Amino acid sequence: MTGTAGAEPGARAGLLTIGAFAKASRLSPKALRLYDELALLTPARVDPVTGYRLYAPEQLERARLVAWLRRLGMPLAGIRHIGTLDAPAAAREVRAYWARAEAETAARRDLAAFLVDHLTWKDPAMSATSMPLRLRYAALSDTGLVRESNQDTAYAGDRLLAVADGFGRGGAPASAAAVDTLRRLEAGTVPAGSLLDVLEDAVEQAGHAVGRAGTGPEDAGTTLTALVWTGSRLALVHIGDSRACLLRDGEFFRITHDHTVVQSLLDEGRITPAEAVSHPQRSLLMRALAPGAGATADLRLHDALPGDRYLLCSDGLSAVVPPAEILRVLTTVDDPERAVRELVALANGLGGPDNVSCVVADVLASDGHF
C-alpha cells in the first residue's frame, strides 16, 4: 500500500489528515496549524515521526464553529472563550459580541455620514453673518427634592445648547467644566473644513477639564450632550445618558443613543424595554467624560428646519417623567422659558428623585417666524 508514514496510521485509526480535515471544516491547513499553536483547535494526534497533524471526525463540529466565528470577525481570544462554554452560554456570548459589533458599525456609520455631510457642506464658516435661521431658547437646572446638591449643568446660548450630568464627589465642577469648554466655540468663527477637528478637540479638552475638576482619579465625571449651532445645522456632541430629542412636524424622536449598561442589554436583546425601566443598573454608564475613561463621543450633523423644537435633558427628566407628558409640554407650551419650567415641575411633582436639567430650543426663520 502506498502513502505517507503519517497518513497511513491516521487513516487506520479513523483519523483525518490535515488536508482532509481542512477540506471538511473549510479551514485552511495554515489556519489549522495556527489554531494548534494557539491551543484553539488541538489535533487528536501528531505523528511522532513526520509531525503530521491528525484530527478526529468528532472535532469537525468545533472546527466549523471556529470557521463561522472567524467569518463573523470574532477575535481568536473570544473564540477560545466560547470554546469553553456550553451551547446556551456560547449562544449568549455570540449574541453579545454581535450587538457590540453592530454598535461599533453604527458609530462608524454615523461618523461616515458626518464626514459626507461635512465634506459637502458649502457654508464657509460658523459666523453670525451666515445664519439664515436662528434659535429661541431657554435652559433650567434644578436640584430636585431628594439630592443635597445639584451636579447638573444646563446652558443655552446663540451657538450652543448643552446639558451635562456630573457624578462623583467632583460631579458639579465636572459638569460645569465640560460645558464651559464647549462655550469657547461661541467666540469667533469655525471654518467648515475644521468643524470635525474642532469638535473632537473640544471634547478632548472637556475631558481634561473634567479630570482637573476632581481631587482624585475617580472623584469626577460627567455626561455631555450638546448641540453646536452652525448657521443652518446643528452639530451634535454626545457621551453618556443625557439625551437630545427633536420635535418636527408633530413627530417626537430621540437623536441620541444612551451609553449605558441597560441600553447595551436592550441592544443585545437580553432585556425588554419594560424591564429596562426598573433595572438595578439603569444608571450605570459605559461611556462618560471621566479621568482615564478614554471614551469617544458621538458626533453627528442635523439639518435644522424652521419649526423644529429641540429638547436636551438629563436623566432626572427622562427617567422620571413619562414621554407622553414631555411631549404634551413640548407641543402645547410655545415659550421655551415656560416649557423648561413646566418640565422641571413635572419631575419634581413625581418626587424629584434626581437633579433635573433641560434645554428647549426652537429653530426660527431669520425674520423670527417658524
Side-chain angles (χ1 to χ4, degrees), residues 214-263:
T215 58
E218 299 179 356
D219 281 346
T222 186
T223 70
L224 177 63
T225 299
L227 289 166
V228 181
W229 181 245
T230 66
S232 60
R233 291 181 173 185
L234 288 161
L236 172 70
V237 177
H238 170 68
I239 187 166
D241 65 349
S242 295
R243 293 182 176 180
C245 303
L246 170 63
L247 176 64
R248 173 179 286 174
D249 295 330
E251 293 189 31
F252 185 59
F253 48 92
R254 195 184 345 155
I255 60 174
T256 53
H257 194 71
D258 290 349
H259 301 140
T260 61
V261 169
V262 164
Q263 184 64 57

Coordinates of all heavy atoms in Angstrom, one line a residue, residues 214-263:
G214 N -11.8 67.1 39.6 CA -11.8 66.2 40.8 C -10.5 66.3 41.6 O -9.5 66.8 41.1
T215 N -10.5 65.7 42.8 CA -9.3 65.7 43.6 C -8.6 64.3 43.6 O -7.6 64.2 44.2 CB -9.7 66.0 45.1 OG1 -10.7 65.0 45.5 CG2 -10.3 67.4 45.1
G216 N -9.2 63.3 42.9 CA -8.6 62.0 42.8 C -9.0 61.4 41.5 O -9.8 61.9 40.7
P217 N -8.4 60.2 41.2 CA -8.7 59.6 39.9 C -10.1 59.2 39.6 O -10.5 59.0 38.5 CB -7.7 58.4 39.9 CG -7.5 58.1 41.3 CD -7.5 59.4 42.0
E218 N -10.9 59.0 40.7 CA -12.3 58.6 40.5 C -13.3 59.6 41.1 O -14.4 59.3 41.4 CB -12.5 57.2 41.1 CG -11.7 56.1 40.5 CD -11.9 54.8 41.1 OE1 -12.6 54.7 42.1 OE2 -11.3 53.8 40.6
D219 N -12.8 60.8 41.3 CA -13.6 61.8 42.0 C -14.6 62.6 41.1 O -15.5 63.3 41.7 CB -12.7 62.8 42.8 CG -12.2 62.2 44.0 OD1 -12.7 61.2 44.5 OD2 -11.3 62.8 44.6
A220 N -14.4 62.5 39.8 CA -15.2 63.4 39.0 C -15.5 62.7 37.6 O -14.7 62.0 37.1 CB -14.5 64.7 38.7
G221 N -16.7 63.0 37.1 CA -17.1 62.5 35.8 C -18.4 63.2 35.4 O -19.1 63.8 36.2
T222 N -18.7 63.1 34.1 CA -19.9 63.8 33.7 C -20.4 63.2 32.3 O -19.5 62.7 31.5 CB -19.8 65.3 33.6 OG1 -21.0 65.9 33.3 CG2 -18.8 65.7 32.5
T223 N -21.7 63.3 32.1 CA -22.2 63.1 30.7 C -22.1 64.4 30.0 O -21.9 65.5 30.7 CB -23.6 62.6 30.8 OG1 -24.5 63.7 31.2 CG2 -23.8 61.4 31.7
L224 N -22.3 64.4 28.7 CA -22.3 65.7 28.0 C -23.1 65.5 26.7 O -22.8 64.6 25.9 CB -20.9 66.1 27.6 CG -20.8 67.4 26.8 CD1 -21.4 68.6 27.6 CD2 -19.3 67.7 26.4
T225 N -24.1 66.3 26.6 CA -24.9 66.3 25.4 C -25.1 67.7 24.9 O -25.6 68.5 25.7 CB -26.3 65.6 25.6 OG1 -26.1 64.2 26.0 CG2 -27.1 65.6 24.3
A226 N -24.6 68.0 23.7 CA -24.6 69.4 23.3 C -24.9 69.5 21.8 O -24.6 68.6 21.0 CB -23.3 70.1 23.6
L227 N -25.5 70.6 21.4 CA -25.8 70.9 20.0 C -25.1 72.3 19.7 O -25.3 73.3 20.4 CB -27.3 71.1 19.8 CG -28.0 69.7 19.8 CD1 -29.5 70.0 19.8 CD2 -27.7 68.9 18.6
V228 N -24.2 72.3 18.8 CA -23.4 73.4 18.4 C -24.0 74.0 17.1 O -24.1 73.3 16.1 CB -21.9 73.1 18.2 CG1 -21.2 74.4 17.8 CG2 -21.3 72.5 19.4
W229 N -24.5 75.2 17.2 CA -25.2 75.9 16.0 C -24.2 76.3 15.0 O -23.2 77.0 15.2 CB -26.0 77.1 16.5 CG -26.8 77.8 15.5 CD1 -26.6 79.1 15.1 CD2 -27.9 77.3 14.8 NE1 -27.5 79.4 14.2 CE2 -28.3 78.4 14.0 CE3 -28.6 76.1 14.8 CZ2 -29.4 78.2 13.1 CZ3 -29.7 76.0 13.9 CH2 -30.1 77.0 13.1
T230 N -24.4 75.9 13.7 CA -23.5 76.2 12.6 C -24.1 77.2 11.6 O -23.5 77.5 10.6 CB -23.1 74.9 11.9 OG1 -24.3 74.4 11.2 CG2 -22.5 73.9 12.8
G231 N -25.3 77.6 11.9 CA -26.0 78.6 10.9 C -27.2 78.0 10.3 O -28.2 78.6 10.2
S232 N -27.1 76.8 9.8 CA -28.3 76.1 9.2 C -28.3 74.7 9.7 O -29.2 73.9 9.4 CB -28.2 76.1 7.7 OG -27.1 75.5 7.2
R233 N -27.3 74.3 10.5 CA -27.2 72.9 11.0 C -26.8 72.9 12.5 O -26.3 73.9 13.0 CB -26.2 72.1 10.2 CG -26.6 71.8 8.8 CD -25.6 71.0 8.1 NE -26.1 70.6 6.8 CZ -25.4 69.7 6.0 NH1 -24.3 69.3 6.3 NH2 -25.9 69.4 4.8
L234 N -27.1 71.8 13.1 CA -26.7 71.6 14.5 C -25.7 70.4 14.5 O -26.1 69.3 14.1 CB -27.9 71.4 15.4 CG -28.8 72.6 15.6 CD1 -30.2 72.2 16.1 CD2 -28.1 73.5 16.7
A235 N -24.6 70.6 15.1 CA -23.6 69.6 15.3 C -23.8 69.0 16.7 O -23.7 69.7 17.7 CB -22.2 70.1 15.1
L236 N -24.1 67.7 16.7 CA -24.3 67.0 18.0 C -23.0 66.4 18.6 O -22.3 65.8 17.9 CB -25.3 65.9 17.8 CG -25.6 64.9 19.0 CD1 -26.3 65.7 20.1 CD2 -26.3 63.7 18.6
V237 N -22.8 66.7 19.9 CA -21.8 66.1 20.6 C -22.4 65.3 21.8 O -23.2 65.9 22.5 CB -20.8 67.1 21.2 CG1 -19.7 66.4 22.0 CG2 -20.1 67.9 20.0
H238 N -22.2 64.0 21.9 CA -22.9 63.2 22.9 C -22.1 62.1 23.5 O -21.5 61.3 22.8 CB -24.2 62.6 22.3 CG -24.9 61.6 23.1 ND1 -25.5 62.0 24.3 CD2 -25.0 60.3 23.0 CE1 -26.1 60.9 24.9 NE2 -25.8 59.9 24.1
I239 N -22.1 62.1 24.8 CA -21.5 60.9 25.5 C -22.2 60.8 26.9 O -22.5 61.7 27.6 CB -20.0 61.1 25.7 CG1 -19.3 59.9 26.3 CG2 -19.7 62.4 26.6 CD1 -17.8 59.9 26.2
G240 N -22.7 59.6 27.2 CA -23.4 59.3 28.4 C -24.8 59.1 28.2 O -25.3 58.6 27.2
D241 N -25.7 59.4 29.2 CA -27.1 59.1 29.1 C -28.0 60.3 29.2 O -29.2 60.2 29.4 CB -27.5 58.1 30.2 CG -27.3 58.6 31.6 OD1 -26.7 59.7 31.8 OD2 -27.8 57.9 32.5
S242 N -27.4 61.5 29.2 CA -28.3 62.7 28.9 C -28.8 62.6 27.5 O -28.2 61.9 26.7 CB -27.5 64.0 29.2 OG -27.1 64.1 30.5
R243 N -29.8 63.3 27.2 CA -30.5 63.0 25.9 C -30.8 64.3 25.1 O -30.9 65.3 25.6 CB -31.8 62.2 26.1 CG -31.6 60.8 26.6 CD -32.9 60.1 26.8 NE -32.7 58.7 27.2 CZ -33.7 57.8 27.4 NH1 -34.9 58.2 27.2 NH2 -33.4 56.6 27.8
A244 N -30.8 64.1 23.8 CA -31.3 65.1 22.9 C -32.4 64.6 22.0 O -32.3 63.4 21.5 CB -30.2 65.6 22.0
C245 N -33.5 65.3 22.0 CA -34.7 64.9 21.2 C -35.1 66.0 20.3 O -34.8 67.1 20.5 CB -35.8 64.5 22.2 SG -35.4 63.3 23.4
L246 N -35.9 65.6 19.3 CA -36.3 66.5 18.2 C -37.8 66.4 18.0 O -38.3 65.2 17.9 CB -35.6 66.3 16.9 CG -36.1 67.0 15.7 CD1 -36.0 68.5 15.9 CD2 -35.4 66.6 14.4
L247 N -38.5 67.5 18.1 CA -39.9 67.5 17.7 C -40.0 68.2 16.4 O -39.7 69.4 16.2 CB -40.7 68.3 18.8 CG -42.2 68.5 18.5 CD1 -43.0 67.2 18.5 CD2 -42.8 69.5 19.5
R248 N -40.5 67.5 15.4 CA -40.6 68.0 14.0 C -41.9 67.5 13.3 O -42.1 66.3 13.3 CB -39.4 67.6 13.2 CG -39.5 68.0 11.7 CD -38.2 67.5 10.9 NE -37.1 68.4 11.2 CZ -35.9 68.2 10.7 NH1 -35.6 67.1 10.0 NH2 -34.9 69.0 11.0
D249 N -42.7 68.5 12.9 CA -43.9 68.1 12.2 C -44.8 67.2 13.0 O -45.4 66.2 12.5 CB -43.6 67.5 10.8 CG -42.9 68.5 9.9 OD1 -43.2 69.7 10.0 OD2 -42.1 68.0 9.0
G250 N -44.8 67.4 14.3 CA -45.6 66.6 15.2 C -45.0 65.3 15.6 O -45.6 64.6 16.4
E251 N -43.9 64.9 15.1 CA -43.2 63.7 15.4 C -42.1 64.0 16.4 O -41.3 64.9 16.3 CB -42.6 62.9 14.2 CG -43.7 62.4 13.3 CD -43.1 61.5 12.2 OE1 -42.1 60.9 12.5 OE2 -43.7 61.5 11.1
F252 N -42.0 63.1 17.5 CA -41.0 63.3 18.5 C -40.1 62.1 18.6 O -40.6 61.0 18.8 CB -41.8 63.5 19.9 CG -40.9 63.8 21.0 CD1 -40.1 65.0 21.0 CD2 -40.9 63.0 22.2 CE1 -39.3 65.3 22.1 CE2 -40.1 63.3 23.3 CZ -39.3 64.5 23.2
F253 N -38.9 62.3 18.5 CA -37.9 61.2 18.5 C -36.6 61.6 19.1 O -36.2 62.8 19.0 CB -37.7 60.6 17.1 CG -37.5 61.6 16.0 CD1 -36.2 61.9 15.7 CD2 -38.5 62.2 15.3 CE1 -35.9 62.8 14.7 CE2 -38.3 63.1 14.3 CZ -37.0 63.4 14.0
R254 N -35.9 60.6 19.7 CA -34.6 60.8 20.3 C -33.6 60.8 19.2 O -33.6 59.9 18.3 CB -34.4 59.7 21.3 CG -33.2 60.1 22.3 CD -32.8 59.1 23.3 NE -33.7 58.0 23.5 CZ -33.3 56.8 24.0 NH1 -32.0 56.6 24.2 NH2 -34.1 55.8 24.2
I255 N -32.6 61.7 19.3 CA -31.5 61.7 18.3 C -30.2 61.3 19.0 O -29.1 61.3 18.3 CB -31.3 63.0 17.6 CG1 -31.1 64.1 18.7 CG2 -32.6 63.4 16.8 CD1 -30.8 65.5 18.0
T256 N -30.2 60.8 20.2 CA -29.0 60.3 20.9 C -29.3 58.8 21.3 O -30.4 58.4 21.4 CB -28.6 61.1 22.1 OG1 -29.8 61.2 23.0 CG2 -28.2 62.5 21.7
H257 N -28.2 58.1 21.6 CA -28.2 56.7 22.0 C -27.5 56.7 23.3 O -26.4 57.1 23.5 CB -27.5 55.9 21.0 CG -27.8 54.4 21.1 ND1 -29.0 53.8 20.8 CD2 -27.0 53.4 21.6 CE1 -29.0 52.5 21.0 NE2 -27.8 52.2 21.5
D258 N -28.2 56.2 24.4 CA -27.6 56.1 25.7 C -26.4 55.2 25.7 O -26.4 54.1 25.1 CB -28.7 55.6 26.7 CG -29.8 56.5 27.0 OD1 -29.7 57.7 26.6 OD2 -30.8 56.1 27.6
H259 N -25.4 55.7 26.4 CA -24.2 54.9 26.6 C -24.2 54.2 28.0 O -23.5 54.6 28.9 CB -22.9 55.7 26.4 CG -22.8 56.3 25.1 ND1 -22.4 57.6 24.9 CD2 -23.2 55.9 23.9 CE1 -22.4 57.9 23.6 NE2 -22.9 56.9 23.0
T260 N -25.2 53.3 28.2 CA -25.4 52.7 29.5 C -25.4 51.2 29.4 O -25.6 50.6 28.3 CB -26.7 53.1 30.1 OG1 -27.8 52.7 29.2 CG2 -26.8 54.6 30.3
V261 N -25.2 50.5 30.5 CA -25.3 49.1 30.6 C -26.6 48.6 30.1 O -26.8 47.6 29.4 CB -24.9 48.5 32.0 CG1 -25.2 47.1 32.1 CG2 -23.4 48.8 32.3
V262 N -27.7 49.2 30.6 CA -29.0 48.8 30.3 C -29.3 49.0 28.8 O -29.9 48.1 28.2 CB -30.1 49.6 31.1 CG1 -31.5 49.5 30.6 CG2 -30.1 49.1 32.6
Q263 N -28.8 50.1 28.2 CA -29.0 50.2 26.8 C -28.3 49.1 26.0 O -28.9 48.6 25.0 CB -28.5 51.6 26.3 CG -28.8 51.9 24.8 CD -30.3 52.0 24.5 OE1 -31.0 52.8 25.1 NE2 -30.7 51.1 23.6

